[in-house]
Amino acid sequence: MPGSFFTGTTFLLTGGLFIMANESVHNQAPAKRSGFATALGALIATLGSAIGLGNIWKFPYLTGENGGAAFLVLYLLATFLVGLPVMISEILLGRAGRANVITTMRKLSPSPRQPWWLIGAAGALSAFLIMAFYTEVAGWVFAYVVRSLTSNILSTDPQVTLQTFNALVSDPFQSLLWQWVVLILVGGIITFGVAKGIEATTKRLIPLLFILLLIVDVRALTLPGAGAGLAFLFKPDFSKISTTAALIALGLAFFKLSIGMGAMITYGSYWKDDQNIPSTTLRVVLSDLAVSLLAGIAIFPVVFTYGFEPAAGTKLLFITLPAVFAQMPLGNVFIFLFFLLTSFAATGAMVSLVEVLVAFANEQFHLSRKAATWITVGLLALVGSTAALSNSTLAGFTPFGKTLFDLYDFVTSNVLLPVGGLFIAIFVGWVLKPEQVIAQLTNGGTLSNHGVVRVFLFVVRYISPLLVLVVLLDSLGVF
Ligand code: PHE
């Protein structure tokens, strides 16, 4: 019976998530540094940074554009051979430094003359450029939240859903307005500080998003095109593997896990001393992957049932979802909830991005948190507007053959984050003393995970940097 199947699956998957969330919940001693009150808070906030539009919007659209399952294979390789080790590296650096990115890198580098703090500076640039387009996509999500209340956006006709989307993005006024709404909201959350702002917003919402995705998936899987959709997502056609796809998969792994630019160094600084870094990070990575797959399973059956274009690009999520909800009882309510939860997930991710910028401004320019936040928000409104207007006023402005929106998206995921990740891996693998790495990963020898640590050290030294380097050089046409 579909009902019992559904509750069973929900229970299994969300159960996993809650077990993960409950790890070391018994340990409630306050953290040394101001930040999250509990280990649970630190863990959930880390998930809150990772899970966002990268999972729900970017993963499906890039998988659709790059040939489906073959791309998924590349993505999995990138996640486990590069993403996971780099994420562990960042968290351990953060917990060892217990400060913002720049101070941490200064503190941990063997000599003050070595400019490792540049990782922090480059990370701030990445955060800024990501926010410039991310706020726009988040703005679309917010607009869909309101739209789903004020009008009927459900339809299985690709022309109709496309029209709804185009009406939004080609209107310069609405594009800017929604971006500002997003920016003001994020600025407000940051002004209230780490513990209160982030912990409160992300705590309960990730499991809810998970459950809602499951509900949508059950409906999507009972559509006539479900078989074709699943085959697209899970049956690889290896002729579609290319080096361009490899670079995009690598960039997606960095983007989705919020790595390569210091966000996870900042978050690692809030992790508690007794938290098991490798195993907890693995759980974050697996949950992040699960959310992406659930989003893919919601979308591709719709694509193949109603004749959408899998390679529709950045609009894929927005044009396909109204079709699956159109086929559900109470579809209007569910689509509202879906975009609402997505807006929360996106907000958690944006908070972590702005947190990087605020910490940077705070450290480099000695601005107060409040001033740093609102100056950042103002600058983001300025630069972000060039992304917001790239479907309307600035549609004709395409340096390097891309709109500014696409350019910020491409440069951050495919250049800045991988390069940042490369240096982080090199730093942890070759510059930091192995004893220091081992002490962090075994919690000063109290964990019996020496095998895991040995594998980690090998991968972070040889495999991750080499893979990033080969993929980057290859995409530049060096080979
Ligand atoms: N990981 C976030 C997402 O998937 C985006 C992000 C990237 C957040 C880099 C912080 C840093 O939406």
Side-chain angles (χ1 to χ4, degrees):
M1 210 182 99
S4 59
F5 162 78
F6 167 67
T7 33
T9 324
T10 311
F11 180 75
L12 262 177
L13 288 170
T14 50
L17 210 83
F18 287 127
I19 291 168
M20 176 189 68
N22 277 327
E23 191 203 50
S24 55
V25 69
H26 53 277
N27 194 328
Q28 307 267 328
K32 280 199 202 92
R33 193 160 165 255
S34 88
F36 303 102
T38 62
L40 174 67
L43 173 60
I44 300 229
T46 308
L47 259 181
S49 165
I51 294 177
L53 296 174
N55 307 63
I56 294 166
W57 162 73
K58 205 172 205 228
F59 171 82
Y61 106 66
L62 288 178
T63 305
E65 265 183 355
N66 293 286
F71 179 77
L72 181 60
V73 172
L74 290 175
Y75 172 73
L76 290 174
L77 288 173
T79 297
F80 290 100
L81 294 177
V82 183
L84 178 64
V86 171
M87 191 165 182
I88 293 177
S89 302
E90 288 200 28
I91 301 273
L92 86 84
L93 288 174
R95 203 177 65 173
R98 289 257 185 250
N100 69 66
V101 192
I102 295 199
T103 312
T104 292
M105 295 312 290
R106 281 213 180 101
K107 246 199 227 175
L108 299 178
S109 73
S111 131
R113 277 200 310 275
Q114 294 182 8
W116 289 102
W117 61 271
L118 281 173
I119 291 178
L125 177 66
S126 306
F128 195 84
L129 291 178
I130 290 174
M131 276 301 281
F133 72 89
Y134 204 99
T135 46
E136 183 52 20
V137 185
W140 300 341
V141 172
F142 279 46
Y144 268 67
V145 172
V146 172
R147 277 300 128 89
S148 61
L149 285 179
T150 55
S151 59
N152 183 10
I153 56 170
L154 302 184
S155 168
T156 55
D157 182 347
Q159 290 308 321
V160 173
T161 62
L162 183 63
Q163 213 164 26
T164 308
F165 180 77
N166 280 342
L168 172 67
V169 302
S170 62
D171 178 344
F173 173 72
Q174 287 199 56
S175 303
L176 286 177
L177 180 76
W178 284 112
Q179 186 173 47
W180 290 343
V181 168
V182 168
L183 280 169
I184 289 170
L185 178 80
V186 173
I189 293 177
I190 293 273
T191 320
F192 284 111
V194 176
K196 274 184 262 159
I198 311 177
E199 204 172 327
T201 30
T202 27
K203 211 168 202 158
R204 286 187 194 80
L205 297 167
I206 295 167
L208 275 185
L209 176 67
F210 214 81
I211 294 171
L212 194 64
L213 274 170
L214 279 171
I215 297 176
V216 184
D217 281 0
V218 170
R219 185 61 192 104
L221 287 175
T222 45
L223 288 173
L230 288 181
F232 179 78
L233 192 55
F234 294 115
K235 225 167 114 202
D237 168 1
F238 287 108
S239 69
K240 293 202 170 128
I241 284 188
S242 66
T243 47
T244 329
L247 177 65
I248 292 172
L250 187 69
L252 178 63
F254 276 95
F255 184 86
K256 268 182 52 188
L257 296 174
S258 314
I259 53 178
M261 38 81 69
M264 286 299 161
I265 297 183
T266 311
Y267 274 48
S269 73
Y270 303 126
W271 281 39
K272 292 174 63 70
D273 289 325
D274 60 356
Q275 241 161 335
N276 180 334
I277 294 181
S279 85
T280 311
T281 308
L282 176 66
R283 288 173 208 207
V284 172
V285 170
L286 290 176
S287 318
D288 182 80
L289 180 64
V291 174
S292 310
L293 291 177
L294 290 179
I297 294 170
I299 287 174
F300 289 107
V302 182
V303 167
F304 289 93
T305 303
Y306 298 111
F308 287 91
E309 178 54 56
T314 52
K315 55 180 163 327
L316 184 70
L317 172 77
F318 298 91
I319 61 174
T320 53
L321 279 182
V324 66
F325 285 107
Q327 297 297 320
M328 276 168 70
L330 295 179
N332 273 314
V333 178
F334 278 117
I335 198 167
F336 163 74
L337 285 176
F338 179 85
F339 280 113
L340 187 69
L341 288 172
T342 303
S343 75
F344 281 114
T347 304
M350 287 187 287
V351 163
S352 72
L353 284 159
V354 177
E355 190 61 52
V356 169
L357 293 168
V358 170
F360 180 76
N362 197 286
E363 158 100 353
Q364 290 304 102
F365 310 117
H366 308 289
L367 290 168
S368 73
R369 269 187 74 84
K370 212 171 180 177
T373 305
W374 293 107
I375 290 173
T376 303
V377 165
L379 288 173
L380 281 170
L382 215 69
V383 177
S385 67
T386 63
L389 296 177
S390 70
N391 285 303
S392 51
T393 323
L394 295 177
F397 184 57
T398 52
F400 305 103
K402 290 186 190 309
T403 63
L404 287 174
F405 178 106
D406 291 336
L407 194 65
Y408 301 151
D409 184 353
F410 184 87
V411 168
T412 47
S413 280
N414 299 337
V415 184
L416 289 174
L417 298 184
V419 170
L422 176 64
F423 283 107
I424 287 163
I426 291 174
F427 186 79
V428 168
W430 298 96
V431 179
L432 211 59
K433 287 197 198 73
E435 304 86 73
Q436 223 169 338
V437 176
I438 294 168
Q440 279 299 328
L441 297 185
T442 61
N443 292 347
T446 54
L447 300 172
S448 47
N449 59 352
H450 292 274
V452 171
V453 175
R454 222 169 299 136
V455 173
F456 166 78
L457 273 173
F458 179 79
V459 175
V460 88
R461 274 194 182 149
Y462 302 102
I463 311 276
S464 315
L466 219 65
L467 276 178
V468 175
L469 212 61
V470 167
V471 172
L472 275 177
L473 290 179
D474 192 70
S475 71
L476 290 175
V478 172
F479 300 122

